[in-house]
Amino acid sequence: MKKISIMFAAVAVALGFSACNETWDDNPVLGTHEGDPVLEFLNTPEMANEAVVITEENKNDSFKLTCSQPEQYGYNASVAYNVELSLNEDFTTPAVAEAPASVTLTTNFFNRNAINPTYRSVAEAICKMLDVQGNADIPTKPGKLYVRLRANVVNENGKVIENTAYTSNAVSFESVSVNYLAIITPGLPSGIYVRGDMNGWLNDQLNDGKDLDILSNYEFLTTTEANVYELDYIEIQSGVIFKIADKGWGAPNLGIKDPIVFGEKVALGWKTDNISLTSTFKGSITLSGSGENWSAIFDALEPDTPGQPSGIYLRGDMNGWGTSLEFLTTDVKGVWSLENLSISAGIKFKVADANWTDINLGGAKVDGVVQPILPGVKYSLEKGGENIEITEAFNGNATLTLKAGKYTLTLQPN
C-alpha cells in the first residue's frame, strides 16, 4: 500500500472538515515531467573531507551517501537511485582526451539512507575516466571526485516509469586515490550461468566435473563495464524453464520478476520462480547488477533464410585449403553452420572467404603461442590470425558467430 505523507493526510483532514460535500481522491497522483531537471536532494557526505585510498584490501568497503526523495513526485514513491561519477564538476569535461567525462554505476539503490557504492566500483570508474591501461597509469595522486544521483520512480516490478527522471546536485569527495590496477578485463569467465532444462541445469558439469567444455556455451563473460556481463549467443526453446545463477545457487540466483520482453531491460527476481519464455529465443543476453538487484536484456538476433550459401569457408589441410567446405546461413543473421564435418587430429585450418580478402580469420597468439581449438568450446577468431590446429579427431557440426564485429567458432561434437 502506498504511504501518504503526514502533510498530505493533514490536508485531507482539513478539507474533510471544511467541505464535507467535496470528493477527496485517496490515491495520490505521481507528478511527472519532461526532460531531466536538476534538484537539490543529495546530502553532503560525512566523509567528504576524508582522504580515501582505495586498495585491493579495502575494495569491498563502501562510500556512504544519503539523499531525500524529490518532493515533486508528490508522495512516498519507490525510487531507484543511480550514482554518477566524474573528475570534473561539470560532468561533461573529460579528464583525459578520448576517455569518458563521467561514469554511471549500474547498481540501483532503493534505500535513500544507504546509497553505498563500493570502493571497487568507484576505482574502476576512476581508472576508466583516466584511460588507465597498465600499472604505470595507476592514479595514485589524490584528487577530487564529484558525485551526483539520477532518480527514477519504478513500479512494483522494478521498471522505470517514464518522465520521472531527476538529476541531483553534485557533491565532492576532496581526496580520493587508487593504488592498484582497477581495470576491467573483458571476455573473462564470470562464474554466472544460464542453468535450466536445456542443459540439465549444468548439475553434472558444475557438481561432478563432467563435460566441462559445455560450460562455455552457457557462461556469461565480463565486459568493459563493471557488473555487466554478456552471453553472446544462446538458444532457448519456448516453454523451457531456466534460471541465471552461480555454481552453488548462491549469488546470484535469479528467476522471473517481470515478463521477458525481447530487446527491453527487465528486472530479475532474487531467488524467485524459474524463467520461461513464450517464444523461442536465439540471441545474446546482457546481465547487469550486483547483490540482490539485477536486470537483463534478451537481444534476439534478426531472422534469416536458412540453408543459403554464405561465401565463407573452412579452409585447411583437410581440403587442400580450398572452398569445398562452405558455411550456410541459419535462421538468424550473424550465425552460420557447417554440418557433418570430419577433421583429423593435427589438422590446421582457417576461416576465410574465397579470395582471402574481407574475411581471413585465424587464431590469436597468447604468450607467443596459438592455442588449439577444443570441441565444445567457443574459440575467438582474429582477423588475419594464425592457422588454427585441432589436436584430436572431430566429427560434428561447426557454428560460426558474428557478434559486435567479433567472430567465434564452435565445434560441436555429434
Side-chain angles (χ1 to χ4, degrees):
M1 178 180 293
K2 297 173 181 176
K3 296 180 179 178
I4 304 176
S5 68
I6 294 174
M7 181 178 293
F8 192 97
V11 171
V13 171
L15 287 176
F17 280 109
S18 62
C20 294
N21 293 329
E22 296 182 11
T23 300
W24 180 257
D25 185 3
D26 289 329
N27 296 312
V29 177
L30 173 66
T32 59
H33 58 272
E34 297 293 331
D36 186 8
V38 177
L39 298 177
E40 296 276 337
F41 61 89
L42 176 58
N43 300 323
T44 300
E46 292 183 2
M47 55 191 298
N49 295 313
E50 297 179 14
V52 179
V53 180
I54 304 177
T55 68
E56 283 273 20
E57 290 70 31
N58 69 9
K59 65 184 181 183
N60 292 322
D61 292 347
S62 299
F63 287 84
K64 312 298 181 185
L65 299 170
T66 63
C67 71
S68 57
Q69 177 183 287
E71 61 182 17
Q72 283 78 0
Y73 289 145
Y75 66 92
N76 190 17
S78 178
V79 182
Y81 298 94
N82 287 101
V83 176
E84 186 181 12
L85 307 172
S86 181
L87 300 178
N88 283 296
E89 190 172 11
D90 60 9
F91 283 78
T92 59
T93 303
V96 174
E98 307 301 325
S102 66
V103 173
T104 300
L105 305 183
T106 58
T107 302
N108 291 325
F109 294 95
F110 298 95
N111 182 350
R112 57 181 180 268
N113 293 314
I115 300 173
N116 301 331
T118 63
Y119 282 7
R120 174 182 176 178
S121 63
V122 172
E124 290 170 348
I126 291 174
C127 286
K128 186 172 184 178
M129 290 185 286
L130 291 175
D131 194 27
V132 171
Q133 300 294 321
N135 288 310
D137 304 324
I138 294 174
T140 54
K141 183 180 179 180
K144 273 192 174 183
L145 177 68
Y146 296 91
V147 182
R148 66 186 183 186
L149 302 180
R150 293 194 182 276
N152 278 281
V153 176
V154 294
N155 62 19
E156 63 273 12
N157 295 316
K159 271 193 167 183
V160 168
I161 297 176
E162 292 185 1
N163 298 323
T164 62
Y166 286 108
T167 295
S168 78
N169 56 298
V171 300
S172 64
F173 292 89
E174 296 301 305
S175 177
V176 179
S177 60
V178 180
N179 82 343
Y180 75 103
L181 189 61
I183 62 175
I184 305 168
T185 304
L188 297 180
S190 69
I192 305 172
Y193 308 89
V194 173
R195 304 180 63 177
D197 286 342
M198 79 290 284
N199 56 24
W201 297 86
L202 297 179
N203 289 328
D204 286 345
Q205 291 77 20
L206 292 172
N207 298 332
D208 302 327
K210 298 178 181 177
D211 302 319
L212 293 179
D213 292 343
I214 198 174
L215 289 179
S216 64
N217 295 321
Y218 300 102
E219 184 173 14
F220 289 87
L221 302 180
T222 58
T223 67
T224 57
E225 300 292 330
N227 301 319
V228 179
Y229 312 92
E230 185 175 58
L231 181 56
D232 64 359
Y233 184 74
I234 187 173
E235 297 184 12
I236 304 175
Q237 299 299 314
S238 62
V240 168
I241 61 173
F242 64 96
K243 297 188 82 172
I244 296 175
D246 67 355
K247 177 180 178 179
W249 299 103
N253 179 350
L254 307 172
I256 190 71
K257 181 176 183 181
D258 208 18
I260 304 296
V261 179
F262 296 163
E264 294 186 11
K265 179 181 287 189
V266 293
L268 298 178
W270 180 260
K271 296 185 178 180
T272 51
D273 292 339
N274 296 328
I275 304 169
S276 180
L277 306 178
T278 57
S279 60
T280 295
F281 173 78
K282 298 180 180 182
S284 65
I285 305 175
T286 302
L287 180 68
S288 304
S290 62
E292 297 184 7
N293 300 313
W294 294 81
S295 62
I297 300 175
F298 287 68
D299 273 322
L301 293 172
E302 292 184 54
D304 200 359
T305 303
Q308 302 300 308
S310 68
I312 306 173
Y313 307 90
L314 201 66
R315 308 181 65 174
D317 294 332
M318 65 284 188
N319 62 353
W321 297 87
T323 57
S324 60
L325 297 174
E326 184 173 12
F327 287 91
L328 302 180
T329 58
T330 65
D331 57 356
V332 292
K333 289 186 178 180
V335 181
W336 301 269
S337 179
L338 179 54
E339 299 183 352
N340 301 317
L341 177 66
S342 295
I343 310 177
S344 302
I347 290 293
K348 294 184 178 181
F349 61 88
K350 297 185 77 173
V351 174
D353 58 21
N355 299 314
W356 301 94
T357 51
D358 294 334
I359 299 178
N360 180 357
L361 307 171
K365 287 185 176 180
V366 179
D367 295 328
V369 178
V370 180
Q371 301 300 307
I373 190 168
L374 300 174
V377 178
K378 289 179 183 176
Y379 189 89
S380 295
L381 299 173
E382 183 176 77
K383 293 181 179 179
E386 305 293 329
N387 295 337
I388 305 165
E389 182 178 1
I390 186 166
T391 58
E392 57 185 272
F394 171 78
N395 292 284
N397 301 327
T399 301
L400 178 67
T401 303
L402 174 62
K403 174 72 174 179
K406 297 180 181 180
Y407 288 89
T408 59
L409 179 66
T410 305
L411 300 181
Q412 197 63 50
N414 289 330

